[in-house]
Structures are given as structure tokens and as C-alpha cells.
Amino acid sequence: MSRQRYVIALDQGTTSSRSVLVDHDGHMVDFVQRPFQQIYPHPGWVEHNPQDILFSQLGSLTELLQRHNLDEKDIAGIGIDNQRETTIVWDPSTGTPIANAIVWQCRRTEPIIRRLCSDPAVAAKIQAKTGLLPDPYFSASKIAWLLDNVPGARKRAEAGELLFGTVDTYLLWVLSGGLVHATDPTNASRTMLFNIHTMRWDPWLLDLFGIPASMMPEVRPSSGEFGQTSYPAVPAGIPLCGIAGDQQSALFGQCCFHAGQAKNTYGTGCFLLMHTGDQAAKSTHQLVTTIAASAPGVGHTEYALEGSVFVGGALIQWMRDELGIIHSAPETEALARSVEDTGGVYIVPAFTGLGAPYWDPDARGLICGLTRGTGRAHLARAALESLAYQIYDLVDAMQADAGRQLDVLNVDGGASKNDFLAQFQADILGKPLRRPENIETTSLGAAYLAGLGCGFWDGIDELEDMRQKDVVFTPQMNPGDAEILVNGWHKAVQRALL
Ligand code: ADP
């Protein structure tokens, strides 16, 4: 009988790298987390040292293996989920990156996007091919910037001497001993260079951004063998057999395998994704169309719509750290329940503008409806409610774009642990909310993809059966009352728009 008892997810996030051990029942047995340095060379610029990414990730992996006394015979496969869009260019002959990674948050390439994409016809063509709205966020302009600004880089790239990768690709390349230069469709779909209909790097886009095709990784299915470990500090011969960008990984980890299923992650920001089956739904509400991770054997590309809220849990942090009216984020739950309602107070946390469906970068935050009786409990409640209203707006937009209704909203992320927020969200959506016992769905998704990719699990039915002990929040509010509250929110948003 096989000794292989586990799969491992390498969860490479923006501020830390984690390695997560998952057993055959789908339980997260243990994890090791290593934070790494954020580099801010100029206002608006964000970088990571690729070596920091690598060594924090490998350090967490080797510590996890040592802690449980595991070797290659115990591990059926490794999956990777990663911060998306972050861009690394390196020289495969030495393995050395030509510069620091440009992180997804970095805004340095705004002038490139303005120069290349300000013609509405070009922007429309980019959206039609990639499902994305042109933005410095995606990898394309970041690669162009590196080629134009690192001395000699363009020449070397044109001579076929440099490789590009998102973080998954870089980790895979290093872990496979430099043998495999590949990515998966979920990560490829965030580069703004990948045609999500033909499933190929798009020559017109590569040309627009001046990127040689020889730099681009091969795109392989998210679940299936990419290669095997071959790196000094790591046991050799473990299959590397699952890859997905973090949000698509969470969608998979939530067992959203079919059209109409959706998840929202309530973290610092919020990310809502709805599976749209084999339909690449085009958004008319500033959402992006992206590729969902697929189980082996699906036989067609699966798509998702994605929308994000810039300020989610960050609003709670702001109330704790800047206003000082709460001591901890979890405290907001009891505070919110200590009052019957917000007393008419709304908070619109448009600190950095408003995203979909409003899309106003100049909007600014506001608190309205204050009276002499307003106290910190009302503000805490209004803050939690504002997270729910923002998700309400995104769900509304997504249902319109997808042409279908959501049945259930699956939730995860740090703030999803707040039962008041979860119940209020269910109430104003008028739909049930489902929170899995294990809200670490991002790493679970990578573990599932790896486990399916190496035959550790047989198929998605087995994964669905493993999913137990969800907490379900069913709507309790009268729909008329919910409508009145949502109308109040929309009035508040109108005041925040510039
Ligand atoms: P990220 O992965 O984006 O860093 P997490 O998923 O760990 O974030 O969630 C952390 C965020 O959730 C923080 O912004 C924090 O303010 C918020 N948060 C955590 N716990 C709660 C809670 N019980 N109630 C409300 N907000 C919370």
C-alpha cells in the first residue's frame, strides 16, 4: 500500500509564504508561515526580492517536512497558489533575476498603460482578448518596464536569454531544477497577454507591449503533472502537479466547480468570483472575465467573473489603528450587536476611489447620517455593514453580467469569521451564505488541484463529499427592510462619487 499520506500546498502570498500539509480527508494538518520584506523604493512602487519569495517559501516547506518527519515517500504531490500578476524576469543560465519582482500593487507602469491603451479601440480590443480592463496591475506593462529600464535587458530578451514568469512559474522553474518553464491558465489570464478564448499567448498583445514570445512560459492545465522536485534542500522526485492564482485557487477550494457557484473572500480587500462554466461572460459593469481552475478531464475552458472591493477588512483596521475606537477587529461583532441598527449612519470606505460597479478613482470616503446619539457601536456596525453593501453591489453586477442568479454565497477570509457580518450579508442579499469550517480555502484549492493531478483523489465528487461542517447563514430580514437599507447605502455612495 502506498505510504503517501499527504499533499502540500505552497501558498505564496503578498506578505508571506506558507506551506500547508493536507491529509487524504482534506484536513489541514499543519502549516508553516514565513513573512518576507516589502520593498517600497518610491511612492506607489512595490517590489519583492525574488530570493526572499523563494527562501521564505522553501524555508517554510523544509520546516514543515522536518516537523512531521516527512520525505518524498510521504508526499503524493505539491500544489502552488500564488499572489497573481507579480512579475519576475530572470536569466535561466544563472537562475538570477534581472531585477526585483514588480508586485501587483505597483503603479509605476501607469504611463505605459496610458501611452499604449488610452485609445478606446485598443482598450476594447484588449478587453475582448483578455477579459481585462487595461491597468498597470496586470503583468504586461510590468514586463515592458523591466525590458526598457534594466540595462541590456531588451537585447538579452530578444536574443532568447531571459524568461518571464509570475510567481508560480518562478517557483516551479526553481523547484524543478530549471527544467520546467510553465504556468497555468489562471495565472496566464492575469498577465494581459493571454487570449482567454484561443488559450494562447496573443501575438498582437505581445507586439503591443514589445515582449518577445520566447520569454513566455508554456501554459498547461491547472491540475496535472508539471514536473518533479529537483532542488538541493527539498526531497527529490515529488510531483509538482497543481497551480492556480490565489483567487481562482480559493474558488476551487470552496468547491465552486459549476456555473453559478461563487465565493467571496473578506480579507484586507474583498474578492468575489463567480464560476460561469464554459461561457466567457463579457462584463458591462467593470468586472473582469477570467479563467477558473479546472479539474482534470473537464475538456473545455472554464471561466469566472471577478470583482474586487479595495477596502474591506482594511476599514476595520483603520478604525482600530487610526481612529482608535476599537481595540481589535473581532470586537466589532459584539459592538455591532449591542445596538439595534446604525441609527442611519453609513460609511462609504472609498479611501482609494470606488471599484466596480462604480469605477470612480477620485471618489473619497465618507461617514454620513451622524447625530448627537451616534456612538462607536453604531460606527462599528456601519463599518461591517459597508463591507456587506459593497459585496451586494458586486453580486448584483455579476448576476447581470452572467445572466444568472446566485444560489448561495460561499465565504472565506479573515473577516468572514464575523457572524454579524455573515448574517447581515445573507439578510441584504436575500440568499444563504455558506462558511466552511476551514476558511483557508486558498491553500485548500492548490492542495485539491495537486491531489487530483496526481491521483491522490479520484475526482471532484470526492472533494465535495469531504466538505463538511459548513455554517450556513439563512436570510432572516424582511426583504422590504433590506431594500430600504440598500437604498440608503446607494444614496450615501452617490455623495461619495466626485
Ligand atoms: P489578508 O489575507 O487580506 O491579509 P485576512 O483574510 O487575514 O486578510 O483578513 C484580515 C482582515 O480581516 C483584516 O483587515 C481585519 O481587519 C479583518 N478581520 C479579521 N477578523 C475580523 C473579525 N472578526 N471581524 C471583522 N473583521 C475582521
Side-chain angles (χ1 to χ4, degrees):
M1 196 184 126
S2 163
R3 260 185 65 196
Q4 292 169 340
R5 291 173 292 152
Y6 304 106
V7 286
I8 288 180
L10 304 182
D11 175 25
Q12 205 305 302
T14 307
T15 56
S16 73
S17 302
R18 304 194 316 156
S19 294
V20 181
L21 190 65
V22 175
D23 68 15
H24 197 261
D25 294 329
H27 290 130
M28 199 170 110
V29 177
D30 196 8
F31 69 90
V32 176
Q33 182 162 16
R34 297 256 172 111
F36 60 88
Q37 198 193 354
Q38 307 293 307
I39 303 166
Y40 305 108
H42 301 288
W45 291 33
V46 190
E47 296 181 357
H48 292 155
N49 182 337
Q51 304 284 320
D52 289 349
I53 294 180
L54 183 63
F55 293 129
S56 59
Q57 191 64 68
L58 294 180
S60 71
L61 173 61
T62 48
E63 188 181 331
L64 184 72
L65 292 171
Q66 277 163 15
R67 190 184 283 175
H68 294 269
N69 201 15
L70 301 173
D71 63 24
E72 64 281 359
K73 292 188 287 305
D74 301 299
I75 310 299
I78 292 179
I80 300 173
D81 68 84
N82 56 290
Q83 51 167 320
R84 302 176 302 173
E85 299 103 13
T86 296
T87 296
I88 304 176
V89 173
W90 71 98
D91 178 344
S93 69
T94 59
T96 315
I98 63 164
N100 275 341
I102 304 185
V103 177
W104 57 274
Q105 298 147 322
C106 186
R107 304 304 293 177
R108 82 181 64 175
T109 59
E110 263 166 9
I112 300 181
I113 293 293
R114 228 176 296 129
R115 180 163 52 82
L116 296 179
C117 314
S118 52
D119 176 353
V122 171
K125 195 164 173 182
I126 292 175
Q127 191 190 7
K129 285 171 178 286
T130 65
L132 307 173
L133 304 162
D135 196 277
Y137 191 88
F138 306 110
S139 314
S141 60
K142 299 183 194 296
I143 309 174
W145 190 94
L146 287 171
L147 297 187
D148 286 338
N149 288 276
V150 176
R154 179 164 295 285
K155 239 181 160 173
R156 289 165 73 195
E158 280 165 1
E161 293 169 11
L162 297 180
L163 299 180
F164 152 74
T166 39
V167 172
D168 56 307
T169 302
Y170 179 64
L171 288 177
L172 174 67
W173 187 84
V174 173
L175 275 169
S176 67
L179 279 182
V180 185
H181 181 228
T183 189
D184 88 303
T186 68
N187 277 293
S189 73
R190 313 293 299 185
T191 59
M192 217 164 79
L193 295 167
F194 191 66
N195 187 317
I196 62 170
H197 310 287
T198 63
M199 297 296 280
R200 295 192 194 293
W201 299 117
D202 191 279
W204 182 83
L205 289 165
L206 289 171
D207 192 50
L208 179 70
F209 287 94
I211 296 167
S214 58
M215 297 181 75
M216 304 307 287
E218 186 188 334
V219 184
R220 301 194 196 164
S222 302
S223 184
E225 191 159 327
F226 284 85
Q228 296 200 335
T229 51
S230 173
Y231 186 82
V234 177
I238 304 175
L240 297 155
C241 43
I243 292 184
D246 51 14
Q247 296 308 321
Q248 286 96 334
S249 186
L251 188 70
F252 202 82
Q254 283 275 18
C255 295
C256 294
F257 304 131
H258 306 292
Q261 295 180 320
K263 70 91 196 169
N264 183 49
T265 302
Y266 297 86
T268 309
C270 300
F271 287 91
L272 177 67
L273 270 80
M274 184 200 263
H275 201 296
T276 56
D278 59 3
Q279 301 296 317
K282 182 172 184 286
S283 176
T284 54
H285 294 87
Q286 314 273 6
L287 305 173
V288 303
T289 311
T290 196
I291 296 178
S294 286
V298 169
H300 58 258
T301 306
E302 295 183 296
Y303 296 93
L305 278 170
E306 173 171 333
S308 55
V309 161
F310 304 142
V311 180
L315 176 63
I316 312 295
Q317 284 168 6
W318 176 77
M319 296 183 92
R320 184 193 61 196
D321 301 339
E322 309 305 326
L323 292 191
I325 59 170
I326 54 167
H327 302 293
S328 73
E331 184 195 339
T332 55
E333 182 173 337
L335 266 177
R337 287 190 201 286
S338 73
V339 286
E340 235 167 61
D341 52 39
T342 67
V345 174
Y346 285 93
I347 303 180
V348 184
F351 295 161
T352 53
L354 278 173
Y358 304 104
W359 218 262
D360 180 354
D362 300 321
R364 285 297 172 264
L366 64 76
I367 303 177
C368 63
L370 296 172
T371 64
R372 182 63 188 82
T374 303
R376 68 189 193 103
H378 297 99
L379 292 175
R381 184 167 175 134
L384 292 173
E385 291 187 358
S386 82
L387 267 65
Y389 290 129
Q390 293 182 90
I391 296 307
Y392 172 94
D393 284 339
L394 277 184
V395 168
D396 204 32
M398 219 165 250
Q399 291 182 151
D401 282 341
R404 62 162 68 237
Q405 296 292 306
L406 198 81
D407 296 332
V408 177
L409 183 64
N410 296 279
V411 301
D412 51 47
S416 74
K417 285 181 283 191
N418 190 308
D419 285 358
F420 170 81
L421 170 60
Q423 184 59 52
F424 186 77
Q425 184 75 79
D427 284 345
I428 59 160
L429 280 175
K431 295 180 193 295
L433 216 85
R434 196 161 67 179
R435 184 178 65 200
E437 188 186 25
N438 178 4
I439 59 167
E440 300 291 341
T441 55
T442 310
S443 11
L444 214 49
Y448 286 173
L449 288 165
L452 292 173
C454 65
F456 186 63
W457 290 301
D458 291 333
I460 55 172
D461 295 352
E462 197 176 350
L463 301 180
E464 277 164 341
D465 289 346
M466 286 184 330
R467 193 186 153 126
Q468 328 139 329
K469 289 209 206 134
D470 287 334
V471 184
V472 177
F473 296 85
T474 44
Q476 285 166 3
M477 194 183 284
N478 170 327
D481 293 343
E483 198 182 327
I484 292 169
L485 287 174
V486 170
N487 287 342
W489 160 255
H490 287 147
K491 280 190 196 141
V493 169
Q494 287 309 318
R495 296 188 202 179
L497 297 171
L498 287 185

